[in-house]
């Protein structure tokens, strides 16, 4: 609900448990007034300290700069006296901009940033505030949307050049919030290839603490997410402010603790790798930012992100639908396969009940290694005589569905496409291009380049029955011709994805970027699932999946059972635990099933049946993290990091699945008691543990917990299904 108090010129956005308040102060400054636990609409303007001289510009012109350098702006400008990080920088000979309130409107529905992924749906209300920089004629609309029942504010920014000169935009962030204290710790997710989304929690200090990407993708190294939490905030209690960006390219996310111990929190497109010429009468949209407030700790914050993204961002028909259990041949064969080998895997997979066979990299051109053929999307007749059809006939004949890997944004120097069109690759005139994984990036800002790839993909999709696509992207951008290139590149990628999901709406799309370098909300708009990491080791996955779940829905986490010793770590873990950990997200296998032991094969049909019986809980239920897999020296100093546990609870709380993983076994250790969460206190839940049937109230399970025996061996696990009587 959005309220406007006319006398105070104060806007209030209320969600079930939170309020976000803005004030139009003297001279049209838009000031952030309050964001926190819900409060009844009332005059909050004294929080702005405007009545304390000398900070009233109209009454104290000589101290105008002091006012500008400490007032809590909700969209701060550069060049006029606020020396903190600005949200907008434009170059008009100089770098100054001074946005003042012009008008506002409040309406049902929301603004959809053009050509960008965005939240959608009914049951939302938007506050639109029009601001203007008089000297240049730049008009900026700030959009604030709230969805019924969700403790989030969705912000976006659209600009229009209503002046008579072209303006160069050098920075347009999507959200900036000035919080009025310094008692925060900042949680960010750092990582690397095969080690994505490691959570880090540190007190903020004076100055700027920033994560970003200038790689042309949201990246393995940092995720476009951060949270500001109180020192006392835990998983289930305390304040948490979460920020993310619905965008898959370069981003910046930062907290700045100022001289007056205020905290400016910001998120948006990274400014150093951004430029956009806004010619007269033209418009520009910045991506949506999502701001979540929770007084129920990190868990509450994450559940809000999950609910918003599941109900109002993912569009695929698979959003709430049962997804097929897949088998992917990558770790089973890498590039070394032929029709017979694939058939052997498919035969065994189908016998065990696996429903979708995914053919990964290596099926096209002459791709025996990652050295060549990207851009030549024609089946390799040496490996697949007669093309894909004999394989797809075989697979569909077994009653399985067929999925296919593409890397549509890339071109190998050794490819027919590059030989014919070297100019298709991103580069700078007169400078050699840098290879990465022996490949270049296609110039997706060009429509003809996208069309050339699309024509080839379409040929395949119209010839064989492809019901799943894995869209991969295996290198970062280099030799980018100008900072004005990155954003159009990203828009080109989104246009291709839009074309794919519009023309082939039945295809289940899984996006991927060398594992999880594009594991971001922008991608969710097109693909309901995203390959989370090339690290399939169950122990490492506990951390990666924990980090991912801080802001992304578990239903999006691509997660597979692979062989041991694991290809990323060499670690050996029980087959059962690998399955229990993969059931945190979308569930599949990535191994040669034909080579498994009889005992492992025997477990697969039961795992698939179990998965189908719980998958709705993972897609539509609520996640409560009950453990923390990070080392006691790091994020989880207060926790015992030797186990991890979580529970998914259905919307009506009558059904739940609890998973416990004992990471390290210890000799002579007592059984461990884990308190559950999210249940109905008075309902009685039935479950089986260690061959014994139990009936306990939700209150018992949440206050006293379940008693889990000390298991024999590392990475052992237990999964319990709890249902009300
Ligand atoms: C990176 C992906 O993350 C892997 O799963 C696999 O598809 C390879 N690329 C193929 O080159």
């Amino acid at each position: 609900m959005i309220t406007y108090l006319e006398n105070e010129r104060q806007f209030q956005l209320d969600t079930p448990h939170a309020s976000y308040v803005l004030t139009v102060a003297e001279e049209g400054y838009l000031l952030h007034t309050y964001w926190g636990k819900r409060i009844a609409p009332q005059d909050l303007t004294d929080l702005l300290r405007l009545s304390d001289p000398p900070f009233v510009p109209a009454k104290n012109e000589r101290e105008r700069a002091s006012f500008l350098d400490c007032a809590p702006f909700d969209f701060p400008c550069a060049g006029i006296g606020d020396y903190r990080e600005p949200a907008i920088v434009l170059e008009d000979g100089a770098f100054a901009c001074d946005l003042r309130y012009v008008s506002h409107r409040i309406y049902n529905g929301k603004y959809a940033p053009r050509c960008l992924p965005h939240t959608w749906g009914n049951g939302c209300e938007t506050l639109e505030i029009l601001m203007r920089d008089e000297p240049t004629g730049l008009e900026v609309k700030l959009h604030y949307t709230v969805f019924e029942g969700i403790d989030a504010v969705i912000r976006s920014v659209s600009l229009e050049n209503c002046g008579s000169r072209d303006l160069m935009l050098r920075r347009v962030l999507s959200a900036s919030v000035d919080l009025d204290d310094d008692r925060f710790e900042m949680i960010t997710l750092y990582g690397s290839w095969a080690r994505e989304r490691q959570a880090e929690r540190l007190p903020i200090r004076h100055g700027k603490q920033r994560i970003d990407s200038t790689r042309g993708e949201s990246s393995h190294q940092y995720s476009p997410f951060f949270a500001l939490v109180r020192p006392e905030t835990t998983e289930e209690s305390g304040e948490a402010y979460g920020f993310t960006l619905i965008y898959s390219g370069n981003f910046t996310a930062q907290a700045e603790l100022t001289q007056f111990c205020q905290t400016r929190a910001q998120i948006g497109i990274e400014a150093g790798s951004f430029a956009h010429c806004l010619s007269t009468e033209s418009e520009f949209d910045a991506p949506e930012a999502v701001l979540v407030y929770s007084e129920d700790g990190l868990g509450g914050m994450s559940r809000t992100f999950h609910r918003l993204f599941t109900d109002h961002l993912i569009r695929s028909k698979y959003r709430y639908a049962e997804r097929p259990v897949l088998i992917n041949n990558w770790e089973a064969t890498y590039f070394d396969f032929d029709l017979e080998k694939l058939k052997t895997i498919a035969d065994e997979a189908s016998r065990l009940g696996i429903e979708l066979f995914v053919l990964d990299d290596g099926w096209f051109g002459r791709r025996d290694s990652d050295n060549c053929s990207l851009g030549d999307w024609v089946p390799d007749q040496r490996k697949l005589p007669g093309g894909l059809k004999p394989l797809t006939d075989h697979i569909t004949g077994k009653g399985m569905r067929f999925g296919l890997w593409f890397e549509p944004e890339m071109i190998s120097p050794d490819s027919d496409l590059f030989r014919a069109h070297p100019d298709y690759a991103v580069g700078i005139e007169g400078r050699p291009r840098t290879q990465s994984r022996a490949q270049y990036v296609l110039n997706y800002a060009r429509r003809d380049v996208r069309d050339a790839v699309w024509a080839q993909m379409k040929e395949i999709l119209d010839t064989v029955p492809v019901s799943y696509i894995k869209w991969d992207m295996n290198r970062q951008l280099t030799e980018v011709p100008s900072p004005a290139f990155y954003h159009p590149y990203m828009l080109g990628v989104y246009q291709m994805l839009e074309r794919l999901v519009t023309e082939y709406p039945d295809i289940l799309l899984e996006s991927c970027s060398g594992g999880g370098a594009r594991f971001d909300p922008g991608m969710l708009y097109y693909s309901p699932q995203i390959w989370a990491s090339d690290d399939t080791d169950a122990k490492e996955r506990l951390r990666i999946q924990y980090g991912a779940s801080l802001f992304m829905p578990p239903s999006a986490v691509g997660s597979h059972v692979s062989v041991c010793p694991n290809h990323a770590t060499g670690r050996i873990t029980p087959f059962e635990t690998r399955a229990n950990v993969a059931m945190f997200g979308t569930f599949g296998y990535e191994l040669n099933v034909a080579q498994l032991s009889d005992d492992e094969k025997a477990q697969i049909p039961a795992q698939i049946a179990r998965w189908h019986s719980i998958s709705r809980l993972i897609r539509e239920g609520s996640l409560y993290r009950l453990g923390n897999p990070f080392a006691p020296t790091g994020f989880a100093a207060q926790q015992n990091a030797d186990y991890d546990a979580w529970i998914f609870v259905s919307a009506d709380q009558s059904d739940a699945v609890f998973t416990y993983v004992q990471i390290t076994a210890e000799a002579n250790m007592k059984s461990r008691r884990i308190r559950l969460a999210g249940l109905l206190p008075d309902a009685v839940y039935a479950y089986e543990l260690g061959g014994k049937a139990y009936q306990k109230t939700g209150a018992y399970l949440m206050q006293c917990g379940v008693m889990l025996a000390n298991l024999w061996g590392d990475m052992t696990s237990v999964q319990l299904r709890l249902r009300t009587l």
Side-chain angles (χ1 to χ4, degrees):
M1 190 177 58
I2 304 179
T3 320
Y4 179 53
L5 300 183
E6 199 150 357
N7 287 342
E8 292 76 19
R9 298 220 289 174
Q10 194 175 290
F11 304 102
Q12 177 153 340
L13 294 96
D14 285 320
T15 57
H17 307 97
S19 298
Y20 188 104
V21 181
L22 295 165
T23 305
V24 179
E26 213 169 339
E27 299 181 45
Y29 293 113
L30 182 67
L31 301 186
H32 181 83
T33 314
Y34 175 84
W35 183 27
K37 188 172 170 147
R38 188 163 172 169
I39 187 166
Q42 58 197 281
D43 182 357
L44 295 175
T45 47
D46 58 321
L47 298 178
L48 297 169
R49 302 189 178 86
L50 289 176
S51 54
D52 296 347
F55 297 122
V56 185
K59 299 194 182 99
N60 194 349
E61 184 62 37
R62 67 183 293 277
E63 297 302 348
R64 180 175 285 271
S66 304
F67 164 79
L68 291 167
D69 204 21
C70 75
F73 289 102
D74 217 57
F75 199 69
C77 302
I80 51 162
D82 181 352
Y83 295 94
R84 296 163 291 178
E85 201 77 4
I88 181 165
V89 177
L90 60 90
E91 189 183 329
D92 166 44
F95 287 94
C97 180
D98 187 359
L99 293 174
R100 308 286 181 99
Y101 169 90
V102 176
S103 62
H104 75 270
R105 67 184 180 114
I106 294 169
Y107 62 95
N108 288 324
K110 74 178 287 289
Y111 181 72
R114 285 154 290 192
C115 306
L116 282 165
H118 56 265
T119 53
W120 53 271
N122 297 326
C124 60
E125 216 183 341
T126 298
L127 163 66
E128 176 192 286
I129 302 179
L130 176 63
M131 311 282 291
R132 185 176 165 92
D133 177 50
E134 209 45 64
T136 57
L138 176 70
E139 294 203 343
V140 174
K141 281 186 186 147
L142 303 175
H143 311 273
Y144 300 82
T145 298
V146 287
F147 281 95
E148 248 165 48
I150 297 182
D151 283 315
V153 176
I154 291 98
R155 288 186 59 171
S156 68
V157 181
S158 49
L159 286 73
E160 186 177 356
N161 185 347
C162 301
S164 54
R165 295 189 304 275
D166 291 354
L167 299 171
M168 184 59 86
L169 304 176
R170 302 297 297 266
R171 170 195 303 241
V172 184
L173 298 187
S174 297
S176 181
V177 184
D178 281 350
L179 298 163
D180 199 15
D181 69 281
D182 60 351
R183 232 173 44 80
F184 289 115
E185 294 179 348
M186 187 174 183
I187 297 175
T188 52
L189 299 170
Y190 74 94
S192 184
W193 172 76
R195 197 162 30 78
E196 298 89 341
R197 277 164 285 288
Q198 308 292 305
E200 201 161 45
R201 176 173 176 166
L202 293 167
I204 59 164
R205 57 192 161 69
H206 282 90
K208 296 163 191 172
Q209 30 259 281
R210 167 164 68 209
I211 51 163
D212 63 19
S213 168
T214 54
R215 296 164 188 268
E217 56 181 2
S218 48
S219 90
H220 300 98
Q221 285 70 18
Y222 300 106
S223 292
F225 156 81
F226 70 104
L228 293 175
V229 299
R230 302 300 183 183
E232 66 274 14
T233 298
T234 65
E235 186 59 35
E236 290 308 327
S237 70
E239 287 192 308
Y241 295 85
F243 302 80
T244 189
L245 192 67
I246 304 183
Y247 191 60
S248 313
N250 294 342
F251 75 92
T252 187
Q254 123 170 355
E256 176 180 7
L257 184 55
T258 72
Q259 57 181 330
F260 297 114
C261 299
Q262 297 156 319
T263 304
R264 175 166 286 183
Q266 297 178 313
I267 196 159
I269 294 180
E270 199 277 329
S273 55
F274 171 80
H276 180 87
C277 178
L278 193 69
S279 47
T280 53
E281 289 174 31
S282 69
E283 296 171 298
F284 176 83
D285 283 334
E288 286 188 344
V290 179
L291 281 54
V292 167
Y293 171 78
S294 157
E295 51 175 333
D296 296 326
L298 287 176
M301 175 198 73
S302 299
R303 287 186 288 279
T304 299
F305 280 123
H306 300 170
R307 177 65 37 233
L308 178 74
F309 292 162
T310 305
D311 292 350
H312 297 291
L313 181 59
I314 300 175
R315 292 178 299 171
S316 162
K317 64 181 244 191
Y318 290 94
R319 177 160 67 124
Y320 300 124
E322 197 63 27
R323 304 199 196 151
V325 172
L326 67 80
I327 182 150
N328 177 304
N329 75 309
W330 178 241
E331 285 197 24
T333 66
Y334 296 103
F335 296 102
D336 181 18
F337 60 81
D338 58 19
L339 181 61
E340 284 319 305
K341 203 182 219 180
L342 297 178
K343 278 182 170 173
T344 312
I345 298 175
D347 289 350
E348 191 60 30
S350 125
R351 198 181 68 75
L352 297 171
I354 297 175
E355 296 144 331
L356 166 69
F357 181 93
V358 178
L359 177 55
D360 208 280
D361 196 355
W363 58 268
F364 52 92
R366 297 178 69 80
R367 194 157 161 94
D368 295 332
S369 76
D370 55 15
N371 272 338
C372 68
S373 300
L374 292 168
D376 298 343
W377 300 106
V378 178
D380 183 345
Q381 296 289 333
R382 298 167 311 154
K383 293 180 186 173
L384 300 166
L388 290 167
K389 193 150 185 316
L391 177 65
T392 58
D393 283 350
H394 186 81
I395 285 167
T396 52
K398 298 251 156 211
M400 291 173 92
R401 297 204 245 160
F402 176 70
L404 194 58
W405 179 97
F406 287 96
E407 193 175 0
E409 296 156 67
M410 294 293 149
I411 183 166
S412 304
D414 181 5
S415 67
D416 292 341
L417 189 68
F418 187 75
R419 281 182 281 274
H421 301 283
D423 60 303
Y424 278 14
V426 173
I428 299 173
E429 189 82 40
R431 189 177 281 281
R433 297 181 178 99
T434 302
Q435 291 189 19
S436 176
R437 208 193 192 204
Q439 64 200 55
Y440 299 139
V441 180
L442 281 167
N443 185 344
Y444 256 44
R446 274 173 57 176
R447 195 188 167 108
D448 60 334
V449 173
R450 300 197 300 268
D451 286 349
V453 179
W454 177 253
Q456 295 189 58
M457 288 178 76
K458 192 166 166 48
E459 170 74 29
I460 304 268
L461 301 182
D462 291 344
T463 315
V464 287
V466 176
S467 61
Y468 161 108
I469 285 180
K470 179 172 171 189
W471 176 302
D472 204 347
M473 195 271 194
N474 281 300
R475 66 156 290 179
Q476 298 152 355
L477 275 60
T478 55
E479 287 84 37
V480 167
S482 101
F485 177 81
Y486 288 99
H487 185 59
Y489 174 84
M490 206 56 244
L491 294 180
V493 173
Y494 286 147
Q495 278 177 25
M496 271 289 268
L497 287 164
E498 188 65 35
R499 207 166 180 180
L500 183 60
V501 300
T502 311
E503 290 197 28
Y504 299 93
D506 293 337
I507 288 181
L508 170 59
L509 182 61
E510 175 153 353
S511 83
C512 169
S513 181
R518 264 195 193 148
F519 195 88
D520 59 63
M523 280 293 148
L524 283 181
Y525 189 64
Y526 308 94
S527 61
Q529 56 195 59
I530 307 174
W531 184 229
S533 177
D534 278 347
D535 185 351
T536 53
D537 175 274
K539 179 168 187 248
E540 307 259 303
R541 273 291 181 134
L542 293 175
R543 289 176 165 220
I544 293 168
Q545 294 177 176
Y546 173 101
S549 76
L550 282 175
F551 73 118
M552 293 280 277
S555 66
V557 175
S559 201
H560 298 166
V561 176
S562 62
V563 286
C564 280
N566 180 269
H567 291 192
T569 60
R571 185 176 286 114
I572 294 176
T573 52
F575 194 67
E576 175 65 0
T577 297
R578 280 177 261 158
N580 285 342
V581 171
M583 287 189 201
F584 187 91
T586 66
F587 184 64
Y589 296 86
E590 186 158 337
L591 38 68
N592 188 338
V593 260
Q595 291 172 356
L596 291 178
S597 69
D598 289 344
D599 174 50
E600 287 170 333
K601 282 184 195 169
Q603 295 183 48
I604 290 180
Q607 288 172 351
I608 294 174
R610 186 148 53 91
W611 166 251
H612 279 310
S613 95
I614 64 169
S615 67
R616 187 160 177 214
L617 292 171
I618 287 137
R619 276 194 316 275
E620 297 173 33
S622 299
L623 167 70
Y624 294 80
R625 290 176 295 254
L626 306 171
N628 185 329
F630 286 88
T633 48
F635 180 29
Q638 74 284 17
Q639 310 225 15
N640 180 348
D642 274 345
Y643 73 89
D644 198 3
W646 57 90
I647 185 168
F648 286 97
V649 183
S650 65
D652 67 1
Q653 296 164 285
S654 68
D655 190 2
V657 58
F658 163 72
T659 306
Y660 166 77
V661 180
Q662 176 180 283
I663 297 173
T664 316
E666 282 180 87
N668 190 24
M669 200 48 193
K670 294 208 163 47
S671 46
R672 180 174 274 135
R673 186 142 63 108
I674 306 278
R675 293 180 179 83
L676 307 190
L679 304 175
L680 292 168
D682 297 332
V684 177
Y685 292 82
Y687 60 96
E688 250 186 60
L689 177 57
K692 200 170 154 200
Y694 291 86
Q695 293 187 2
K696 300 281 184 193
T697 62
Y700 178 95
L701 292 164
M702 293 190 289
Q703 289 162 225
C704 309
V706 285
M707 199 62 92
L708 297 150
N710 189 25
L711 303 173
W712 182 251
D714 292 349
M715 287 302 292
T716 36
S717 61
V718 170
Q719 194 175 73
L720 302 182
R721 183 71 179 271
L722 302 104
R723 290 191 176 96
T724 51
L725 289 179

